[in-house]
Amino acid sequence: MDKPRYSLGYKIAHSDKLSALVFVGPYYVLFSIFIIIAVLAAVLLSFTYFNTIEFPTMSGLKNYVDIVTTDNTFMQVILPNTIKFALIVGPGGYLLSFILAWSLAQLPHKLRTVLAIIFYSPSMTMGVAMVVVWSAVFSGDQAGYLNHFMLQMNLIAEPVQWLQSPQHLMNIMIIVSLWGSMGVGFLAMLSGILNVDKEIFEAAYMDGISNKFQEIFFITIPLMKPQMLFGAVMMIVSTFQAGAIGVQLSGSNPTPQNAGQLILNHIEDFGFIRFEMGYAAALSVILLILVALISKVAKTYLTEKE
């Protein structure tokens, strides 16, 4: 009996599907374990009282009601702090990333590569190395670089406790976060600008475009919307995850008078200091919803329309 003519094509297609499953399968397994199950567990815990010792007991919406009605620190200090920090560091870092990426794209290849590494390196030093550098700058004694400079210029009469001062801590957090905001989103924007076809620019100048600003708004930005969307999402996520910066700079959680306290610090405070995991889970769900809503807004404006 003759074999069907499509048997070879069927085997090839079946082999391709099997190969794809082998390569993609581990990703789906790890994504399910560390993302989907973790998020579902956090949502379930947010409706419970859980102190890590006793078995969780259902409490309904009590955690969410407490956050809104009785947690004055969250509503009056932490939420405004987080919004202020996100509004300045998010758009500021995003705009700074685009300007630097566009500026580097105008330079020769070797010089561009060196400068890209220099700008990208701060994002890799987030953590201890960054705190060491900036703690030396804002140290509260006379040896601190900023205090030493201002004393030499007679701008201050005595050293300022920059990192322990509620008036200055948030501003320093914003400066340090902007300095370290040239991350993966910055590299994606640089790649997007470099991949724009040069012939499009030549044709646009023949059609009437006369300067670099028109080139950016009418050609560069519309052609690199996918990279800009990726950069926006990465910036949003990194901004809301930057809660550790205040604790690392001030050396305490909560930060002095909650001046640098963000939602992430509040979650760590309740989860790992007070061991109120259910309440911390409710806070993390609120943070997740905030990130999802802002990412949705960014996707609305930066997604290619049919």
Side-chain angles (χ1 to χ4, degrees):
M1 183 178 178
D2 295 337
K3 294 182 178 179
R5 292 182 179 179
Y6 55 82
S7 60
L8 180 58
Y10 175 79
K11 288 181 179 178
I12 292 175
H14 183 71
S15 176
D16 290 343
K17 289 180 180 178
L18 185 61
S19 299
L21 185 62
V22 169
F23 282 102
V24 178
Y27 164 76
Y28 282 113
V29 172
L30 294 175
F31 184 80
S32 301
I33 294 174
F34 292 105
I35 303 296
I36 296 177
I37 295 177
V39 170
L40 291 176
V43 172
L44 290 175
L45 280 178
S46 70
F47 297 107
T48 67
Y49 171 79
F50 181 39
N51 60 9
T52 71
I53 298 176
E54 299 171 329
F55 192 79
T57 55
M58 289 300 296
S59 60
L61 295 174
K62 183 178 184 303
N63 291 325
Y64 293 98
V65 173
D66 288 346
I67 290 173
V68 177
T69 58
T70 63
D71 193 345
N72 294 329
T73 302
F74 177 80
M75 295 301 294
Q76 297 177 6
V77 179
I78 293 173
L79 192 56
N81 278 352
T82 304
I83 293 174
K84 176 184 177 182
F85 184 83
L87 286 179
I88 297 177
V89 175
Y94 186 69
L95 184 62
L96 193 61
S97 296
F98 178 79
I99 292 173
L100 284 177
W102 184 86
S103 300
L104 290 184
Q106 315 306 312
L107 299 176
H109 175 70
K110 290 185 179 178
L111 180 58
R112 179 173 64 236
T113 303
V114 173
L115 291 177
I117 294 173
I118 292 174
F119 285 122
Y120 180 66
S121 58
S123 67
M124 296 186 293
T125 62
M126 297 294 282
V128 177
M130 184 180 65
V131 172
V132 170
V133 172
W134 288 98
S135 295
V137 174
F138 293 107
S139 177
D141 53 26
Q142 294 182 351
Y145 292 125
L146 184 57
N147 275 336
H148 180 75
F149 173 76
M150 296 184 75
L151 286 170
Q152 292 294 320
M153 299 296 292
N154 292 321
L155 297 175
I156 55 176
E158 57 185 16
V160 178
Q161 297 295 323
W162 300 103
L163 300 178
Q164 302 301 321
S165 167
Q167 288 77 30
H168 301 299
L169 181 58
M170 175 57 75
N171 294 329
I172 295 172
M173 288 169 56
I174 291 172
I175 293 171
V176 175
S177 298
L178 286 174
W179 177 75
S181 62
M182 302 297 115
V184 178
F186 160 71
L187 294 181
M189 289 187 189
L190 180 59
S191 174
I193 294 172
L194 293 175
N195 285 324
V196 175
D197 192 346
K198 300 296 185 293
E199 293 182 357
I200 298 178
F201 293 115
E202 297 173 1
Y205 276 101
M206 293 178 66
D207 287 341
I209 283 183
S210 58
N211 56 57
K212 289 291 185 183
F213 286 105
Q214 291 179 344
E215 176 185 310
I216 292 172
F217 285 107
F218 295 120
I219 301 175
T220 304
I221 292 178
L223 289 179
M224 55 174 293
K225 278 189 174 180
Q227 290 83 6
M228 295 193 71
L229 175 61
F230 176 76
V233 173
M234 294 301 296
M235 184 61 68
I236 291 167
V237 174
S238 63
T239 300
F240 281 98
Q241 285 181 337
I245 184 67
V247 175
Q248 290 171 341
L249 287 172
S250 65
S252 63
N253 186 14
T255 54
Q257 298 185 31
N258 291 317
Q261 204 76 353
L262 304 179
I263 292 181
L264 195 63
N265 306 128
H266 209 46
I267 294 172
E268 292 176 349
D269 182 14
F270 275 92
F272 303 111
I273 297 177
R274 309 186 196 195
F275 296 104
E276 296 184 21
M277 289 295 180
Y279 195 84
L283 289 168
S284 68
V285 171
I286 292 175
L287 179 62
L288 176 65
I289 293 172
L290 279 176
V291 173
L293 288 176
I294 297 176
S295 299
K296 179 67 176 176
V297 172
K299 187 177 180 181
T300 302
Y301 286 101
L302 294 175
T303 301
E304 292 282 355
K305 294 181 173 57
E306 297 294 340

